[in-house]
Structure formats: C-alpha cells, structure tokens
Amino acid sequence: MARTRSKPKAKATKESTPEPPTSNAKPLLPSTSNPPKLFVLPKDTSKDARIVTLDNPASGVPSRYYFCPDKGVHEFTRIAAPKKACRSWLITPEKSSGSNEEEEEGHDGTGIGSGYVTKAADLFVATPIDLMFLLLPVLAPKNAKETKQHFLALDDHLDNLSSSSRHWKVLLAQHPTLKAMIGKRMGTVCDTVDAGDETMYRLSHGKLLAMLLKKAERMCKNGLPQSMEEKFVKTALEVPVMNIKREESTLSVVSDTPSMPTEDSQVSVSTPSTSVESQLSTTTSMDSQTSTETAATSVSSTEEIVSKPALQTPPEVPHLLRLRTAFTYLLCSYVPQTLRPSLQELLKSSTTPSFTLLDMHLSAIAKLRAEAMALRSISDNISRKRVLEEDEEKMAEREEKKRKKEEDEKKKKTESRGIKQLKKADTSGMKKLSAFFAKAPKKG
Amino acid sequence: MLEARLEQANLLKKVVDAIKDLVQDCNFDCNDSGIALQAMDNSHVALVSMMLKSDAFSPYRCDRNIALGINLGSLTKVLRAAQSDDTLTLKAEDAPDVVNLVFETSDSDRVSEYDIKLMDIDQEHLGIPETDYAATIAMPAAEFQRICRDLSALSESVSIECTKEGVKFSCQGDIGSGSVQLRSHSAVDKPEESIEIDLTEPVSLTFSLKYLVNFCKASGLSSQVKLCLSSEVPLLVEYGLQNNSYLRFYLAPKIGDEE
C-alpha cells in the first residue's frame, strides 16, 4: 500500500479512502550487491559451527556445507518459489523474544536494520549428510584405470583430504574430534587391516554397496517423494492395455495378434516362482474404463475382445523398483563418477536383494509395449479415429495440433474489419520497421 | 499488484478503438511510471506506441512490472459495457491470469465488473530513438483525417511535401489526381485550429493512405495531431493526451517504385 501514488486531485482523494497518504515517503536505498539469504539451520549447534566449502562428492564442484563439530556435516538445499510466482521475503529483526517461531526470519536481526525485502524468495535448508559421502572422493581411485587399491593409514587418507581442499585442512586442524569421526565413518565402508598399532583402510565396494542399499531402503521405507514415485515407479510399471475390437471378419487377423504375444510374455516371465499370470479372457476392474469407451464407439452389434493387463505386477516388484530408484538417486547425487560403474555392476550381481525378478518384469513390460506399439500402427491404419488408451502422447500431440488450428481459425474470425482492410493495403516499397529501429533488449 | 483508476473510461475506450484495427493482440506493459504499449501491425510496416503515464490515473499503483497480454477485440467488447463518463479501475495480480475491470457510474450507484483472460504474447520490442525531424507539422486532427479520407478515394498512397510555403498532400490515381495545400497560420482565439509548421529542411515522402486512414481513428483523442517527417525515416503521427501521455503511430515510407 505504501507505494501508492495518490494524485493531489481534490476530487480523487475524496473518493479513494482506502489508500493511505504517502506523505512520509522516503527515498529507497539502492539494493545491495550481496543481499541477505535465508537459511534454515539445525538447532542447538555448537558455536564453532560454520559454513565451509568442500568438494561435492558426486561432481567434484566446490559446494557449501554447514559443518558443526557436534552434529556433523549438513548439505544445503535451495528451495525457491516457481519463477512465475513472484515472491519475496520480508526480513525484519525480531521485535520480542516471543515472536521467533518463524525460523525464516533469521536467527539474529543484526545488520538488517529496520527490515529488508529480498528480491528472490530462496530458502536454503541445511539437512544432515553422511560424512562418509564427503570422504568418498579421496577413497575412490582417481581414475577408472587405476584398479589396484592400497591399504593406507588413516593419517595418509587425511593428508589426501587436506590436500584436496583448503577448508578440510583448516577443519582437521581445528577440530581434533573430526579425525575420530572420520575414522569411524571410514570403517563402515572400508576393509581394514591392523598393522602394528595402526589401522589401515581400503575402500570396499561390497561394504559401500551394502551401506548405500541400507540408505536406499530407509529412503523408500516411507515412500519415495511423489514426483519420483510418479516418474520412475508408476510409469515404469504401467502395463500397456491391449484392447482390440473385432468389427468384421476382415479384422480378425488383427484381433488375433494380441493373444499370441501375451502367451509369449507369459513364458518369459513365469520362470521365477512368482504370481505372474497372463490373462487371456478375464476382465479385471481396471479395464472397465476401456470397455465403456469401446462401447461408446461401437453402435452396431460388434463382438469385442478385451485382452487385459497382459501382465500382473508381482507384489514385490514395486518395492524392488523403488529401492533401485532410490539407490540410483544416491549414486548419482553423492557418489563419485569413478565408483558408479563398478557399483552398478555389483548391484546387478548382488543376491540380497536380488533384482532379477524386477529386471525380468521390466523387460516383459518393454516387450509388451513394443507389441502394443506395433499393433497400434496396424489399428491406426484401420481406423484413425479410435485411439488406444496408452497412446496418450500421440493423442496429446494431435490435440495440440487441432487446438492450434482451431485457434488460428478463431483468430481469423475475430479479426476486426480494420485489420482485414489493412491486409489489402499495398505495402510494396515499404520497409519493415525493424529496418529503421533496432530491436530493444528483451525485458524479463 | 496493479491498480489503476481512470476518471473517464472514455480515454481507454478511444485508445483501444484507435489501435484495435491495427493490431489484434498486444501486451500492456505496466510499471511504476505508467502503462505502455508497443505493437506492430501484421506486415510490420506500422507501429503503435502508447504511453499512459501514471499521472493520468488516480490513484495508480503498480508494485512489479507486469505484462498484460490482451486481445484487443475482447477488450473492446468489455469496454463497450462502460459509459463514457464512468470511472474505470484496472486491477491485476502480480502474476496474473486475468485483468479485472470495474466500471462505476459517477454517482457510484452502478458498479459493473469484468474479467478478461490474459494471453501469453511473444512480442519483439523495438527501441525507438529520439529523432530530430526535418519537418514537424501540428494541425487539427479532424483536418488531417479529412485529407486522408478524401485522398484515399483516389489513390493508395499520398505524397507529403513540406516546404517553407507550407505542406502539400498530393496523390495520383486511376481516375485522376488531387492535392491539398495547407499554410501555417495561428488562430489566436481557437488554438486547436491553428496549423504550425516547423521546418529545418524541405522533405517529400510517400505513404500508404490505408494506413494513414487507419491512424486517423485516433482523431477523437486529441484536437491536434503532430506529423513528424524526415527523409528515409518512418513518419511519426502523434496524438497527445493529457498528463504527457500519448498515442503515437509510426509508418514506414514508400521508397522507390512510385514516381
């Protein structure tokens, strides 16, 4: 409200009562080059806690971490409002001790003065990260070729660490407890040998894999985040719906095809002792939608065959897929690139848990999809109008085209008379205005 | 958040009427200095540039720069629902989907409210430099409109020739030719009828009459129109509004083929 310009017109001010006068307008200060940022930091950290720059284990890019000698290392996640939604933070110093429930208002208002409005509504949240991940870059071989790894004493590893980053050096020097912490975490992913009174460490891929799987297990215990679940689990496990309508005898060739490959897929999938069944004749609840759809299109007495989810998802498959998704996520975001291929290999051959069932199921689905695709191209030729259920992508594309066309037509219709008249104007010899005026830089 | 109140809905009605026959959709760029619009016609030979300064509104409030992409046809339909002397209030959120228009009769007995859906318009903006024109002619808007209308009956294009004798609009068509010559004179009692010619060097340029007739739809906005010419540069036709606001049209000259 404060920025309203009320014009000193007697009549206007009389009517616009809701606007407060802005006589006390102060000139705004220029924006600072280093605006305050908002952090959500863990509670009760020691006063030695600080923000440090360490190499990101996955990418090797220097990144900011929050280090507390008592609570360990935290990584920062930036939470930002979507670009279209314009949001700002209003930061004010705490007025009374009672009003500090809003954490984003900052832990201390010093230096903020009477308040500050940040331009971007970014919020940085510190969440704990296992120290082990930060150690991985020094434990991992420097390049893929170097396969032979030696046992090294803890101090040698620490030397490597401090030579990799200046901040590590400072941290190690300042906090003697850190060394013990590192040693403990290293023990969880390394093979150790005792040489005299010293313990030597070497990265063990098996141990690392077990550790990652444990973390992945924990990650999917409460369900994956929705977007992840949607993208990697739900869509991956979608079984194409085979829905072919028999209209006349000429089409029988087509309608026969789906049943045959379904049998095929049954053979390939049923090897493990699971409840994979192919359903040739049963109609489950899932296809009620499809059958109504076909019913709507077929007015005449046509016989229809609905061969339904050709494949049923075994109960343990979603969990396995979730686990693997979580594992892949951990691998991509926290594990150095050099370690990834060997860990993937190891995971494939691991027996606890075994992913063979999942792989088989996925390949069966892929096969079904390919068949559905092939089938569709045939049925597309027969009747363009009928679009199969799983054809959503193509359907959307077509709809988009249609919509565009309609829009253009509509636009033409709504064109005013003047514009139509101008189209007839003879513009020969007239240059476009962009030949005279330069294009202005685009405003955000 | 944008909130802008116009004492007279008529102003926006006339502005939109004047440009809706030149462009279909355009962005109304709102910032704290006012509401601006720049758009080119379909063939990109004419450009309209409007500026309604914040002083033209009372009150005016705009917290963030907002581009309101509006179909002018739709806007015309809604503005038709307003009487000329209604007050008009434009409102929009910071990242709006709609623009809200409220019309109030002067006694505030009747309040009508409309929302227009906005569209995303990808428009290129041209930077128009300040130009010192060789000739500037200020004349009654109605006179300019009459000349354009009369001459457009004969021909597609008009040549505007400005010398120290005065300004001459002439055309040649299939049925014959015609010309109108004006001399500068100042009418003391009726300043809106005076003709002023400010000339640094003589110019002669040819323009499409269809476009000029189209520009003249803005004649109701202002009693006087200003024509600015320089050779090899687009013609500027300016209708001044209150509070330094303006509606300007630019038109590329016809070069070559004729004469």
Side-chain angles (χ1 to χ4, degrees), chain A residues 88 416 429 433 438-440 442, chain B residues 21 44 64 122 124-125 127 255:
Chain A
S88 303
S416 68
L433 279 175
K439 270 180 199 146
K442 214 164 191 167
Chain B
D21 286 338
H44 285 211
R64 284 180 195 267
D122 200 19
E124 51 181 303
H125 256 265
I255 298 169

Side-chain angles (χ1 to χ4, degrees), chain A residues 107-218:
Chain A
H107 288 290
D108 56 320
T110 49
I112 291 171
S114 58
Y116 186 90
V117 177
T118 60
K119 197 169 161 199
D122 291 351
L123 179 64
F124 297 86
V125 182
T127 46
I129 177 176
D130 194 333
L131 188 59
M132 181 270 292
F133 286 124
L134 296 173
L135 302 175
L136 280 180
V138 273
L139 293 175
K142 294 283 166 295
N143 50 45
K145 275 175 240 150
E146 200 181 309
T147 44
K148 196 97 180 102
Q149 287 256 291
H150 299 288
F151 280 97
L152 280 177
L154 181 57
D155 283 332
D156 295 330
H157 279 302
L158 292 184
D159 283 348
N160 281 343
L161 207 55
S162 15
S163 63
S164 70
S165 150
R166 213 157 42 85
H167 280 201
W168 268 121
K169 201 171 179 175
V170 175
L171 282 181
L172 286 168
Q174 277 182 354
H175 305 286
T177 51
L178 184 61
K179 195 176 151 183
M181 258 155 89
I182 290 176
K184 214 172 117 205
R185 293 311 300 157
M186 235 181 221
T188 57
V189 291
C190 291
D191 293 329
T192 53
V193 278
D194 287 329
D197 52 352
E198 248 190 330
T199 316
M200 313 277 270
Y201 296 88
R202 186 181 67 179
L203 182 67
S204 152
H205 287 196
K207 274 188 171 179
L208 179 57
L209 180 73
M211 169 87 140
L212 286 173
L213 278 175
K214 219 168 87 192
K215 285 184 190 296
E217 191 83 53
R218 206 162 68 189

Side-chain angles (χ1 to χ4, degrees), chain B residues 2-184:
Chain B
L2 164 80
E3 192 170 336
R5 208 172 93 118
L6 261 185
E7 284 295 311
Q8 299 253 308
N10 209 13
L11 175 65
L12 191 64
K13 274 175 95 139
K14 280 184 180 164
V15 168
V16 173
D17 268 341
I19 56 181
K20 74 162 199 303
D21 286 338
L22 199 65
V23 287
Q24 250 182 305
D25 311 309
C26 60
N27 279 329
F28 286 75
D29 296 311
C30 311
N31 58 30
D32 54 1
S33 65
I35 301 179
L37 173 156
Q38 196 198 76
M40 278 188 275
D41 77 309
N42 281 327
S43 39
H44 285 211
V45 295
L47 181 144
V48 54
S49 161
M50 178 204 78
M51 178 73 218
L52 295 177
K53 291 268 163 68
S54 57
D55 298 341
F57 302 91
S58 59
Y60 183 85
R61 170 188 167 195
C62 182
D63 303 337
R64 284 180 195 267
N65 296 1
I66 310 174
L68 303 172
I70 305 184
N71 174 282
L72 291 179
S74 321
L75 185 58
T76 314
K77 280 179 194 160
V78 169
L79 286 174
R80 240 176 239 152
Q83 315 271 205
S84 321
D85 47 2
D86 282 357
T87 55
L88 180 156
T89 312
L90 277 173
K91 282 184 218 158
E93 306 275 317
D94 277 341
D97 294 323
V98 293
V99 58
N100 174 268
L101 290 98
V102 181
F103 310 131
E104 288 167 79
T105 53
S106 43
D107 49 15
S108 298
D109 285 344
R110 183 179 191 272
V111 178
S112 42
E113 193 173 342
Y114 297 86
D115 277 345
I116 301 177
K117 290 183 196 160
L118 296 177
M119 42 208 296
D120 286 321
I121 303 169
D122 200 19
Q123 265 177 339
E124 51 181 303
H125 256 265
L126 297 184
I128 298 168
E130 286 290 318
T131 313
D132 288 325
Y133 288 97
T136 303
I137 307 150
M139 62 192 283
E143 176 65 60
F144 180 58
Q145 185 173 29
R146 187 179 160 201
I147 293 169
C148 292
R149 205 180 46 217
D150 293 349
L151 297 185
S152 69
L154 269 76
S155 170
E156 272 266 319
S157 47
V158 61
S159 116
I160 304 178
E161 201 179 340
C162 206
T163 57
K164 57 182 190 296
E165 268 81 56
V167 56
K168 187 177 171 192
F169 301 83
S170 56
C171 70
Q172 258 141 25
D174 294 341
I175 59 166
S177 61
S179 74
V180 179
Q181 169 106 32
L182 298 176
R183 268 184 298 151
S184 77

Side-chain angles (χ1 to χ4, degrees), chain A residues 213-378:
Chain A
L213 278 175
K214 219 168 87 192
K215 285 184 190 296
E217 191 83 53
R218 206 162 68 189
M219 198 170 148
C220 45
K221 201 163 77 187
N222 295 323
L224 292 179
Q226 207 194 344
S227 57
M228 240 170 150
E229 173 86 20
E230 190 81 15
K231 195 168 169 203
F232 295 107
V233 180
K234 244 175 100 185
T235 49
L237 288 180
E238 245 167 33
V239 179
V241 177
M242 304 279 203
N243 176 9
I244 295 300
K245 194 173 70 173
R246 193 200 303 251
E247 280 171 58
E248 291 295 343
S249 55
T250 45
L251 296 186
S252 60
V253 191
V254 185
S255 49
D256 276 348
T257 32
S259 49
M260 203 177 60
T262 350
E263 277 167 341
D264 271 357
S265 61
Q266 180 206 11
V267 176
S268 68
V269 170
S270 56
T271 24
S273 59
T274 53
S275 56
V276 181
E277 314 159 274
S278 88
Q279 303 181 313
L280 287 172
S281 51
T282 49
T283 324
T284 57
S285 61
M286 246 180 84
D287 71 57
S288 58
Q289 194 196 347
T290 33
S291 54
T292 49
E293 186 208 50
T294 38
T297 51
S298 60
V299 193
S300 57
S301 61
T302 51
E303 184 192 338
E304 56 178 73
I305 290 179
V306 183
S307 80
K308 264 314 337 316
L311 203 59
Q312 255 198 352
T313 314
E316 52 272 71
V317 157
H319 176 70
L320 281 177
L321 185 55
R322 254 173 235 142
L323 192 62
R324 195 155 75 175
T325 310
F327 178 81
T328 316
Y329 173 75
L330 287 175
L331 212 57
C332 293
S333 31
Y334 296 110
V335 176
Q337 193 135 32
T338 46
L339 283 175
R340 284 179 213 166
S342 54
L343 283 174
Q344 291 277 27
E345 277 305 309
L346 220 58
L347 182 76
K348 249 181 223 158
S349 54
S350 86
T351 46
T352 50
S354 162
F355 288 98
T356 39
L357 178 57
L358 175 64
D359 287 335
M360 277 184 175
H361 186 73
L362 287 181
S363 62
I365 289 180
K367 205 167 159 202
L368 276 181
R369 274 201 192 134
E371 276 157 13
M373 203 65 147
L375 218 71
R376 193 176 51 222
S377 50
I378 301 173

